[in-house]
Amino acid sequence: MVYVRSTHVDKPEHNGDWLQHVMSAEVKAHLAEREQGLRDGLSDAPELVLKGREMVEILAALNLDDESLLAALYSPAYQAHKLSREFIAENHGERLAELLDAVQQMQMISELQSFQHGKPNVEQIDNVRRMLLSMVADVRAVLIKLAERICRLREVKNADEETRVLVAKECQDIYAPLANRLGIGQLKWELEDLAFRYLHPQTYKAIAKQLLERRVDRENYIESFVQHLTEQLQLQGVSANVYGRPKHIYSIWRKMQKKHLDFEQLYDIRAVRVITDSLKDCYAALGVVHSEWRHIQSEFDDYIATPKANGYQSIHTVVIGPEDKHVEIQIRTQAMHDDAELGVAAHWLYKEGNAGKSGGFEEKIAWLRKLLAWHEDMAENDELVAEIRSQVFEDRVYVFTPKGEVVDLPHGATPLDFAYYIHSQVGHRCVGAKVDGHIVPFTYSLRNGERVEILTQKTSKPRRDWLNPALGYLRTSRARSKVVTYFKKLDRDKHLKAGRELLEAELQKLAIPLSQAATVLERFNFNTLDDLLAAIGAGDVRLNQVVNQLKPTPDATSERLERLQRQRQPKSSKQGDVSVQGIGNLLVQFAKCCQPIPGEPIMGFVTQGRGVSVHHRDCEQLKHLLETYPERGLQVHWSRAEQGRYRADLVIDADDRNGLLHDITSILANEKTSVAQLDSKQDPVSQQARISLGVVVDGQTTLQRLVSRLLQVKGVHKVERSGV
């Protein structure tokens, strides 16, 4: 089989013959009838009919179905609002109307200001490509759009320079790589060459001149070479398909730039590919090639014996063909060819230098390529259509900023999610949002291709109900964490002010300056005085503990007097570190509901038959008991600061995420804290987690340090004592 691909750089002439070589008589008659009807209805705009016909000619070479060609014919008039959706649906069916809608939806790419002013970054360009594939439920719309861009490039050939450059830049950045990713070489080559011709006219002309021949002559050379090679393979009994094409000008220039080569150093300006039935035939074909023409040893590569890192397999060789012209020949089996086109070694991967960077999207491109190949089967197979759509189209939405930049967000994202994606302050000050110029609520779910504008006020602040998952204001963890951080900082400011006022008032009584509190930071495991004051204001650190640490040390005489006074006091009954003043031989036990530890304020409650139960002074259970039996309350205190082991139960509320338990247990290990209990519950709706943690510590200071460390874990909102 001899197969020569070719593209036309210049706009083709219309001679009235409707592609008789590539279209069946039935399809040709059907399209001719529709074209005549379109001419009759658009007598005032014949250029739209000609453009539609030109798009059909481009797409016919891809063997698309009748519906796609008809959509291409109608697309220019439909986008110019010369044909209504109602007319299309009524006369040609809803499917054709939906296909034309999808093509029109892609028109928004031309409105991107970021491609009209300045150079967009690589991430923005790739986001646009992804958006184009994601927004279109029918890949045929992408092909029609590519054909429309080729027509547009041809149209601006004689336009002013600014228009040519804008159109060429858009096609070079977006549409040519998109055609490359879909494996549509016929469209990619013309998009690249025309764009290159407008963007770098001098370079284009220089390379064209260096080729020393017209493009048609190069194509004739390749056709002759392919025919001769096919005959030699048949004579040797090698079963293979041979096809080739001359390398297009943009590809020549890109290789010269990439490898820093002069034109004379390029060996693959003319390329031929041999596809065999078996591995044995690959090497048999190689023998035929090398016996027929002299090859260049330094340009020989056997990627079958030694595949590339991405799995690519093929034999590459360069021979000196007729007229002493170099020809590159690639030899591979059909299976290798399929892997190179659809697998990890797909041609666009190593062309664009992105191998292995975003595997999920590349798998979807492979499915899109298969979709192009299966378009005939899919016409009558709804299950296959559903399967491919579920594989191809990502659960993402791509929306525009007012400046035309593309933002990639999870499916279901709201305007508030968008605002926090742009910047934290944009989210904090958000008071409203417009989508495509219309005001929408904060709970609105963004859709592909919408333009989002955030309305802000300097005095606006976040609301706590934004964090309520049931209300649907925020659906991304990124935005939710920024709101949580805001309120943590807001609460800190409030606690800092309260703590400063409390400590200053107590220290003034002792004539101690507030700055002296910095001397006990290490004692309470804080880095700055503000951290200590905020902890006092929040109630995490007891005020009297800090004051006691700052009191002047009594002299030896005072200490002896205090010891004598304590010796004269009545004996006390104690259990561990707790003393009940004035009562002897009384059983003392710690309450299990709150499990107080040394240093915390405590109070006793006389039980029946179990002695005195010691509670944390703020224990909810103790409050309930004293309301019922107020006469049973007893004043108790810690008699001395002995080193012991005490259990404390904590409750941790946090955002549910991967690695949360790992981060918490790492802190426990670093603090050398024994764990008596660890339970975790997750709420999949609110994406929140509650962790019950039982730890064994040697006192309040250790516990406070542990709580402080746990609050620093990403996503943790609150750490509290259980029962307190």
Side-chain angles (χ1 to χ4, degrees):
M1 180 185 73
V2 179
Y3 174 41
V4 180
R5 297 182 179 183
S6 64
T7 59
H8 304 281
V9 174
D10 293 321
K11 184 174 179 178
E13 296 294 332
H14 299 286
N15 56 11
D17 190 359
W18 192 276
L19 291 170
Q20 58 181 354
H21 298 296
V22 295
M23 197 179 299
S24 68
E26 181 180 355
V27 174
K28 181 171 61 173
H30 175 70
L31 287 174
E33 179 184 353
R34 298 302 180 189
E35 182 197 10
Q36 187 57 51
L38 194 61
R39 288 182 184 275
D40 295 339
L42 299 177
S43 57
D44 59 331
E47 70 280 358
L48 297 177
V49 183
L50 290 176
K51 184 175 181 179
R53 178 191 177 103
E54 186 177 354
M55 289 169 61
V56 171
E57 292 176 345
I58 293 170
L59 294 174
L62 301 180
N63 297 319
L64 291 183
D65 60 332
D66 298 359
E67 191 173 59
S68 301
L69 298 178
L70 188 58
L73 179 65
Y74 285 160
S75 182
Y78 190 78
Q79 292 189 40
H81 305 292
K82 295 292 186 179
L83 294 177
S84 68
R85 193 186 193 285
E86 292 75 16
F87 172 82
I88 296 295
E90 181 179 348
N91 291 276
H92 303 287
E94 184 64 25
R95 287 184 55 184
L96 184 64
E98 290 176 354
L99 181 55
L100 286 169
D101 284 340
V103 177
Q104 189 171 31
Q105 188 180 24
M106 297 185 68
Q107 179 61 25
M108 67 181 61
I109 188 68
S110 299
E111 301 172 4
L112 286 178
Q113 296 180 16
S114 59
F115 293 99
Q116 297 173 3
H117 303 285
K119 182 179 181 181
N121 59 42
V122 175
E123 182 180 358
Q124 280 291 312
I125 292 173
D126 200 52
N127 270 348
V128 172
R129 295 176 190 154
R130 291 167 180 260
M131 178 200 69
L132 294 178
L133 293 178
S134 176
M135 69 166 55
V136 179
D138 191 337
V139 73
R140 295 176 301 172
V142 182
L143 305 183
I144 295 172
K145 185 62 180 178
L146 292 174
E148 187 269 331
R149 288 292 88 188
I150 290 177
C151 291
R152 180 60 177 156
L153 280 170
R154 293 172 178 174
E155 286 176 2
V156 299
K157 178 181 179 181
N158 298 319
D160 59 273
E161 183 179 0
E162 182 180 1
T163 301
R164 288 200 308 271
V165 169
L166 288 176
V167 174
K169 184 64 175 173
E170 180 186 63
C171 290
Q172 183 187 67
D173 287 340
I174 302 298
Y175 292 105
L178 186 59
N180 191 24
R181 290 191 174 199
L182 294 174
I184 313 170
Q186 297 98 313
L187 305 186
K188 178 182 79 80
W189 298 334
E190 188 165 0
L191 285 166
E192 288 180 341
D193 264 10
L194 282 175
F196 180 60
R197 182 179 186 177
Y198 298 152
L199 293 173
H200 305 280
Q202 299 303 321
T203 306
Y204 180 93
K205 292 177 181 178
I207 294 176
K209 185 177 181 180
Q210 285 178 298
L211 290 173
L212 297 176
E213 55 190 1
R214 293 184 301 125
R215 186 182 184 91
V216 64
D217 293 333
R218 286 184 281 135
E219 291 178 349
N220 290 337
Y221 180 92
I222 289 296
E223 184 174 5
S224 175
F225 187 95
V226 166
Q227 288 177 341
H228 181 75
L229 178 56
T230 300
E231 293 170 359
Q232 296 303 312
L233 291 173
Q234 291 174 347
L235 289 175
Q236 299 298 323
V238 178
S239 177
N241 294 330
V242 184
Y243 63 92
R245 63 171 177 82
K247 207 171 185 69
H248 59 305
I249 292 178
Y250 174 78
S251 181
I252 293 172
W253 174 80
R254 185 169 181 176
K255 188 164 188 176
M256 291 169 62
Q257 295 295 310
K258 184 178 180 180
K259 296 192 174 183
H260 305 288
L261 299 175
D262 294 330
F263 183 83
E264 294 75 14
Q265 296 173 285
L266 296 178
Y267 293 119
D268 58 347
I269 293 175
R270 304 162 193 85
V272 170
R273 184 168 290 158
V274 179
I275 307 297
T276 68
D277 294 337
S278 65
L279 178 63
K280 179 183 68 175
D281 287 338
C282 286
Y283 289 98
L286 178 64
V288 171
V289 169
H290 283 182
S291 64
E292 191 69 20
W293 298 284
R294 183 164 56 92
H295 74 283
I296 301 175
Q297 184 64 38
S298 61
E299 295 299 315
F300 175 79
D301 291 294
D302 187 353
Y303 294 120
I304 294 180
T306 309
K308 290 186 177 181
N310 62 4
Y312 175 84
Q313 288 185 289
S314 183
I315 297 174
H316 291 192
T317 187
V318 175
V319 300
I320 301 176
E323 304 174 28
D324 289 332
K325 295 179 179 178
H326 297 100
V327 180
E328 182 193 54
I329 301 175
Q330 298 177 359
I331 306 172
R332 63 180 70 152
T333 66
Q334 185 64 50
M336 294 173 188
H337 180 68
D338 291 340
D339 287 341
E341 290 298 310
L342 299 175
V344 294
H347 185 63
W348 69 270
L349 276 175
Y350 55 80
K351 276 284 188 182
E352 298 184 10
N354 292 325
K357 288 190 178 179
S358 49
F361 186 61
E362 277 69 73
E363 291 178 6
K364 301 178 193 305
I365 293 299
W367 276 96
L368 280 173
R369 288 187 178 181
K370 290 181 181 180
L371 188 148
L372 292 175
W374 296 344
H375 62 86
E376 294 180 359
D377 297 334
M378 288 179 60
E380 300 178 358
N381 191 339
D382 293 337
E383 292 183 3
L384 183 59
V385 174
E387 176 190 354
I388 291 181
R389 285 181 179 175
S390 66
Q391 293 279 350
V392 169
F393 302 111
E394 298 183 79
D395 196 23
R396 308 289 294 179
V397 291
Y398 301 90
V399 294
F400 295 112
T401 69
K403 293 183 178 180
E405 296 178 347
V406 178
V407 174
D408 174 5
L409 294 169
H411 180 74
T414 67
L416 274 178
D417 291 312
F418 174 89
Y420 277 106
Y421 182 94
I422 299 302
H423 196 278
S424 297
Q425 290 302 317
V426 176
H428 293 341
R429 298 174 179 176
C430 179
V431 294
K434 287 184 178 181
V435 172
D436 291 337
H438 302 288
I439 296 290
V440 297
F442 283 162
T443 55
Y444 176 82
S445 294
L446 298 176
R447 300 172 184 173
N448 275 316
E450 292 179 328
R451 189 181 298 272
V452 185
E453 179 184 355
I454 300 299
L455 308 177
T456 61
Q457 286 183 359
K458 290 184 178 181
T459 57
S460 181
K461 299 177 182 178
R463 302 201 310 262
R464 291 187 185 271
D465 60 353
W466 289 359
L467 295 173
N468 187 342
L471 298 180
Y473 288 110
L474 298 172
R475 295 180 186 156
T476 64
S477 57
R478 172 175 177 170
R480 189 178 294 109
S481 65
K482 289 185 176 182
V483 177
V484 169
T485 301
Y486 171 85
F487 283 112
K488 279 187 176 181
K489 185 178 184 300
L490 184 67
D491 293 340
R492 173 185 166 83
D493 294 342
K494 180 177 64 177
H495 294 154
L496 177 61
K497 181 180 179 182
R500 184 184 300 276
E501 292 175 353
L502 289 171
L503 187 57
E504 276 185 335
E506 289 299 317
L507 293 183
Q508 282 177 0
K509 299 176 184 178
L510 302 172
I512 299 175
L514 179 63
S515 59
Q516 193 169 329
T519 61
V520 297
L521 291 177
E522 185 176 355
R523 169 73 176 79
F524 292 96
N525 197 34
F526 290 107
N527 295 322
T528 67
L529 180 58
D530 283 352
D531 292 340
L532 175 60
L533 296 176
I536 294 173
D540 297 332
V541 174
R542 303 298 179 184
L543 176 62
N544 63 333
Q545 291 179 307
V546 179
V547 174
N548 289 337
Q549 291 292 321
L550 293 172
K551 282 182 178 179
T553 304
D555 56 23
T557 303
S558 298
E559 289 179 349
R560 285 195 298 269
L561 288 174
E562 289 182 2
R563 276 200 303 271
L564 288 173
Q565 290 175 352
R566 286 198 296 270
Q567 289 171 1
R568 295 190 185 117
Q569 289 177 351
K571 291 185 178 180
S572 61
S573 171
K574 55 188 177 181
Q575 178 75 15
D577 293 337
V578 178
S579 296
V580 183
Q581 296 298 323
I583 302 177
N585 299 322
L586 188 62
L587 177 66
V588 176
Q589 61 182 357
F590 295 115
K592 294 182 179 179
C593 55
C594 56
Q595 297 177 329
I597 60 177
E600 294 183 330
I602 54 177
M603 188 171 183
F605 182 82
V606 180
T607 66
Q608 294 182 351
R610 292 183 288 112
V612 176
S613 178
V614 179
H615 294 256
H616 191 290
R617 189 175 292 275
D618 296 331
C619 176
E620 294 295 332
Q621 181 67 19
L622 175 65
K623 292 178 182 179
H624 176 71
L625 292 171
L626 290 177
E627 288 176 0
T628 309
Y629 307 103
E631 71 280 359
R632 294 190 187 183
L634 274 180
Q635 295 299 325
V636 298
H637 65 84
W638 301 102
S639 62
R640 61 186 183 275
E642 291 184 355
Q643 289 296 320
R645 305 291 286 169
Y646 304 89
R647 171 163 174 165
D649 289 330
L650 303 176
V651 176
I652 304 173
D653 290 334
D655 294 332
D656 187 20
R657 62 174 178 84
N658 292 332
L660 176 62
L661 283 177
H662 175 269
D663 292 346
I664 290 174
T665 54
S666 296
I667 288 178
L668 296 175
N670 292 336
E671 292 292 322
K672 300 180 180 179
T673 303
S674 299
V675 179
Q677 178 189 359
L678 179 62
D679 295 318
S680 177
K681 294 181 180 180
Q682 290 80 29
D683 185 350
V685 177
S686 63
Q687 296 182 342
Q688 298 294 300
R690 169 159 286 194
I691 300 171
S692 299
L693 180 63
V695 295
V696 180
V697 297
D698 57 12
Q700 186 188 23
T701 301
T702 302
L703 181 62
Q704 287 177 342
R705 182 173 65 249
L706 178 62
V707 170
S708 177
R709 291 290 306 280
L710 291 173
L711 284 171
Q712 296 174 13
V713 173
K714 179 182 178 182
V716 171
H717 309 316
K718 184 170 62 176
V719 180
E720 291 183 343
R721 289 282 302 281
S722 177
V724 178

